[in-house]
Amino acid sequence: MIFISKHIIPKGFAGMTLYPFIFLKREDLKGNPVLINHEKIHLKQQLELLIVFFYLFYFLEWFIKLLIYRNTSKAYSNLSFEREAYQNEHNLEYISTRKRWAFLSYL
């Protein structure tokens, strides 16, 4: 389910996924298949980690990467979940062919 909310989305981002919802900053972004695919990849990741463990893993990994890179943007872009989503967002068939725990290969 997709919702539009410019207030929930952090500055500099177009979308965000909080299972089972996808939040987009603007209505016109609903027509962006690459962005929607990126967020659907996050839905798969969240589901396979039973949602709560996804967020624990995400923030723990982000904190570790922040200590390594000393830069919030670099920490974010080097998260395994984000690397998987960004590298496969243009492949609109990725969700159907994605292997379970695929994000682990991006650690």
Side-chain angles (χ1 to χ4, degrees):
M1 196 174 308
I2 299 175
F3 290 103
I4 307 305
S5 176
K6 62 182 176 182
H7 303 293
I8 292 176
I9 311 300
K11 187 177 181 180
F13 293 90
M16 182 172 73
T17 301
L18 299 169
Y19 191 88
F21 307 110
I22 295 174
F23 294 93
L24 301 175
K25 191 165 264 190
R26 299 183 323 269
E27 181 76 29
D28 64 301
L29 294 172
K30 281 185 176 181
N32 183 333
V34 172
L35 175 60
I36 300 301
N37 195 46
H38 178 102
E39 298 305 332
K40 284 182 177 180
I41 293 169
H42 288 316
L43 285 174
K44 282 287 203 184
Q45 294 166 340
Q46 290 172 16
L47 193 57
E48 89 189 351
L49 284 171
L50 305 174
I51 302 154
V52 148
F53 295 109
F54 170 85
Y55 294 110
L56 290 173
F57 195 117
Y58 192 101
F59 290 111
L60 178 63
E61 185 181 0
W62 180 83
F63 183 72
I64 291 168
K65 300 281 170 115
L66 183 60
L67 292 175
I68 293 169
Y69 295 108
R70 306 248 183 238
N71 178 295
T72 55
S73 294
K74 268 191 163 180
Y76 165 79
S77 63
N78 280 288
L79 293 174
S80 58
F81 299 112
E82 296 302 336
R83 291 178 62 218
E84 178 189 9
Y86 279 114
Q87 288 180 25
N88 295 288
E89 66 187 7
H90 290 280
N91 177 358
L92 302 182
E93 302 300 318
Y94 181 71
I95 294 291
S96 62
T97 61
R98 181 184 182 269
K99 292 188 169 131
R100 197 171 256 258
W101 308 100
F103 70 90
L104 291 174
S105 65
Y106 294 88
L107 279 172

